Amino acid sequence: MARFLRPWSKKRGKRFIGTELRSLLWETAFYSGVFLVGVFVVSLVVISQLSSWDQLETLKELTKIQPEAVTPEELDGGGLASWIFGVLGVAAIGSGAGGLIYRLVRVGASNERRSAMAKRASSIEIIVPSATEIEKMPSVPRGNALTDSPGERLTYRLAAEGTSGNELVGPALLALLWNAVWFVLLAVVVLGFWHSSPRYILTGLLLPFGGVGYWSFRYFLAQLRRSAGIGPTIVEISDHPLYPGCKYRLFVSQSGRLRLRRLRVRVACEEETVYRQGTDVRVERYEVFTQELCAERDVRVDPQAPWEQQFTIDLPSNVMHSFVASHNAVRWKVIVSGEARPWPSFCRSYPVVVHPPGLPPKRSPR
Amino acid sequence: MSVSLCREDGIYEGGKELSATWRVSRVTLDSLSAIEISVLWYSEGKGDTDLHVHHFERYEEERIRRFGLADKHSLSCLLPATPLSYHGRLIRLRWCVRMRLFLTDGREIVADQPFYLVAPQSIHNGSAIVVGDERRSRPSQ
């Protein structure tokens, strides 16, 4: 019996019916559609309203509407229909944009991480931390935010560096803005035809503009599909901050639907310098220490069975602690990288803080 | 002018006290306008320089005249736990006691007495090292 594709997914306990990726794509398309329809409706209403104002000669010229000659009810300023359509249009724009932003923000970020971010945002210190706290270990990042999130397998869940949704912002803005402008132009053209004063040049331009809009929206969906295809990476650690000469357990989980040529997990210490060359500001990085924990080939990741491994980090005693100054830094991180197909390769970094040895370990209630 | 540290090897543990003596010679009192003594770390290498002063003293002309230049003067401060001395590929972190003389003719004379800041309790354990120095001393392959 033929099975139809379901445009939605449903969560039952730990199980999903349908794929999450498909539901994400459908939701994105739906919210984008609502937003663009809202833009179209509002454009119709605004143009109808403004065209009855004598002072807006340019708009009248654009639409070729003669309010003195044409006074249908729907063009009569302040009409009930205009208000209803206006409110509906604004509501469509608001709900479309809101739904789209809400859905896109969820791409690539785990619930725990979002929860930790929300908690951190709600507990921002109004008062500057006491000087004694900073002076204990000057130039060493405090890393308090790194231990905000408790882990499921080990003590802490590490947060990834940067946000994976950043690469979607550009294509999303381009697609939405371009298509919004296109719908405004469409509204102008439709009104022109409606009032028997068509704008043929503008009508002709709609086709190539629509092509660009179609391409931009398709590109945005492709980017979204890429970002969502590589599932979240979860990294948990047994203790934090780290001390040279000590051993720590590390848990790594990679989910999604992936076929990886190679999956690597490593701990690295990187020097980072910022310098000026002429008027340019340049950043140079050099990996001074790396410890490979895993380099597995031909890894298959299934949504029902994420790739999970536990490792031991054995930090040598002769390594530099984390250090941050204005132009120089020594940063430690756990790096998970994969050469994937059909998705592009990915590399996710999870910063950790290494303290100098010999200090009493920082005790955490966890 | 000279700065002498209390430890001959110039290795200090983070969080411990540093004592030093300083002396100005072959400069007349009349030609001095001010003296600055500071304990600081600075970065060297490819990046722009970072500098952080941990301890700072400044002696104006009047005070210099009062204590004179004949004797040695002492300086002591509690060192911080970090940043430790480091010799990396792009970055080097150096600690020093810096003495700066301001002469009345506008010139400045600077002298540095470097020292190493190592991990707390590492001297006691016999494990004091400057990270990166062992790489420098390794023979080239």
Side-chain angles (χ1 to χ4, degrees):
Chain A
M1 188 177 160
R3 292 182 65 185
F4 294 102
L5 287 176
R6 286 185 188 167
W8 64 85
S9 67
K10 198 171 178 182
K11 192 169 184 294
R12 287 189 173 165
K14 285 187 174 180
R15 194 163 57 92
F16 263 102
I17 296 174
T19 66
E20 207 174 356
L21 173 60
R22 198 186 301 150
S23 68
L24 169 67
L25 291 175
W26 276 107
E27 275 183 50
T28 305
F30 172 74
Y31 285 123
S32 303
V34 170
F35 174 80
L36 292 173
V37 167
V39 169
F40 179 64
V41 171
V42 168
S43 303
L44 283 177
V45 171
V46 168
I47 291 168
S48 303
Q49 288 292 321
L50 296 185
S51 63
S52 63
W53 296 0
D54 294 336
Q55 60 269 32
L56 292 169
E57 293 295 334
T58 51
L59 198 66
K60 278 166 41 178
E61 175 59 29
L62 187 69
T63 57
K64 287 196 173 174
I65 293 170
Q66 302 300 322
E68 298 81 19
V70 184
T71 51
E73 269 187 37
E74 57 271 23
L75 285 185
D76 195 12
L80 186 62
S82 300
W83 277 104
I84 290 172
F85 277 107
V87 169
L88 283 177
V90 169
I93 289 174
S95 56
L100 197 62
I101 290 167
Y102 176 74
R103 200 63 190 89
L104 292 182
V105 161
R106 292 166 70 91
V107 175
S110 66
N111 290 330
E112 296 79 11
R113 188 175 166 212
R114 282 197 299 277
S115 168
M117 284 165 71
K119 189 181 164 194
R120 198 162 66 238
S122 65
S123 63
I124 289 172
E125 286 180 328
I126 310 280
I127 302 165
V128 177
S130 63
T132 51
E133 186 65 29
I134 295 167
E135 284 304 311
K136 273 182 189 169
M137 268 186 285
S139 308
V140 175
R142 287 192 294 160
N144 287 347
L146 300 178
T147 54
D148 273 355
S149 182
E152 211 172 89
R153 306 287 183 95
L154 299 173
T155 317
Y156 301 113
R157 180 165 294 188
L158 299 175
E161 202 171 39
T163 55
S164 57
N166 281 349
E167 66 268 21
L168 291 175
V169 174
L173 277 178
L174 175 69
L176 285 183
L177 291 180
W178 186 274
N179 285 299
V181 169
W182 189 84
F183 272 92
V184 171
L185 293 179
L186 180 67
V188 171
V189 168
V190 167
L191 279 177
F193 277 105
W194 182 263
H195 299 294
S196 309
S197 50
R199 303 280 302 180
Y200 292 113
I201 296 176
L202 198 57
T203 309
L205 283 175
L206 275 182
L207 202 65
F209 283 11
V212 175
Y214 172 73
W215 172 83
S216 66
F217 200 74
R218 209 176 143 188
Y219 178 70
F220 162 60
L221 287 181
Q223 288 292 320
L224 180 64
R225 197 162 167 256
R226 276 180 168 187
S227 299
I230 303 168
T233 310
I234 292 170
V235 176
E236 294 181 3
I237 197 159
S238 58
D239 205 359
H240 195 269
L242 314 183
Y243 289 87
C246 295
K247 289 183 179 180
Y248 301 90
R249 278 175 299 132
L250 189 81
F251 169 77
V252 179
S253 165
Q254 175 64 52
S255 50
R257 186 187 290 276
L258 296 166
R259 278 180 65 199
L260 300 168
R261 289 177 191 168
R262 182 181 286 187
L263 182 66
R264 293 175 72 195
V265 181
R266 61 203 175 94
V267 181
C269 174
E270 196 176 72
E271 289 179 2
E272 183 184 288
T273 60
V274 179
Y275 60 97
R276 269 168 297 192
Q277 201 167 47
T279 54
D280 294 343
V281 176
R282 294 181 187 272
V283 180
E284 188 157 329
R285 295 186 178 89
Y286 183 83
E287 229 170 65
V288 282
F289 172 84
T290 182
Q291 188 177 90
E292 193 151 271
L293 304 173
C294 166
E296 215 170 291
R297 284 179 174 276
D298 297 323
V299 178
R300 298 197 86 161
V301 184
D302 202 67
Q304 272 73 42
W307 181 87
E308 293 180 344
Q309 289 275 341
Q310 213 170 106
F311 311 100
T312 302
I313 303 174
D314 189 359
L315 220 53
S317 54
N318 59 340
V319 290
M320 181 59 175
H321 60 80
S322 301
F323 163 79
V324 177
S326 304
H327 305 103
N328 299 278
V330 176
R331 300 183 197 279
W332 283 85
K333 52 181 87 168
V334 175
I335 302 169
V336 182
S337 58
E339 288 175 39
R341 55 186 173 189
W343 319 108
S345 299
F346 69 94
C347 181
R348 288 170 177 165
S349 301
Y350 297 80
V352 288
V353 173
V354 174
H355 280 187
L359 291 171
K362 198 175 160 187
R363 292 290 170 208
S364 162
R366 290 196 189 108
Chain B
M1 57 187 180
S2 64
V3 180
S4 307
L5 300 171
C6 61
R7 288 181 65 95
E8 277 187 14
D9 58 3
I11 297 175
Y12 290 86
E13 283 181 359
K16 292 288 170 67
E17 190 173 329
L18 173 140
S19 297
T21 54
W22 58 272
R23 186 178 185 178
V24 178
S25 52
R26 284 190 265 178
V27 178
T28 59
L29 267 175
D30 295 336
S31 62
L32 268 179
S33 96
I35 300 173
E36 284 180 359
I37 313 281
S38 41
V39 178
L40 59 94
W41 65 261
Y42 61 95
S43 68
E44 278 183 350
K46 194 155 189 177
D48 290 349
T49 303
D50 287 313
L51 184 145
H52 182 83
V53 175
H54 173 65
H55 179 86
F56 181 77
E57 291 176 11
R58 182 180 166 96
Y59 301 97
E60 297 294 345
E61 197 172 349
E62 190 186 337
R63 201 167 162 203
I64 298 168
R65 286 183 184 282
R66 208 179 322 133
F67 61 63
L69 293 176
D71 300 325
K72 281 186 174 179
H73 303 278
S74 63
L75 158 85
S76 70
C77 71
L78 201 64
L79 292 168
T82 54
L84 304 182
S85 297
Y86 175 60
H87 195 108
R89 294 285 179 130
L90 301 178
I91 304 166
R92 286 180 289 281
L93 294 181
R94 298 192 188 281
W95 279 89
C96 71
V97 180
R98 180 169 289 175
M99 190 172 174
R100 189 182 291 270
L101 298 192
F102 295 87
L103 304 181
T104 46
D105 61 3
R107 284 186 301 146
E108 292 178 18
I109 303 170
V110 182
D112 282 356
Q113 177 60 54
F115 66 92
Y116 295 106
L117 188 73
V118 294
Q121 297 172 22
S122 58
I123 296 176
H124 180 72
N125 299 337
S127 59
I129 52 159
V130 175
V131 176
D133 258 6
E134 74 278 12
R135 192 166 48 231
R136 274 195 309 162
S137 57
R138 197 182 299 158
S140 55
Q141 307 271 314

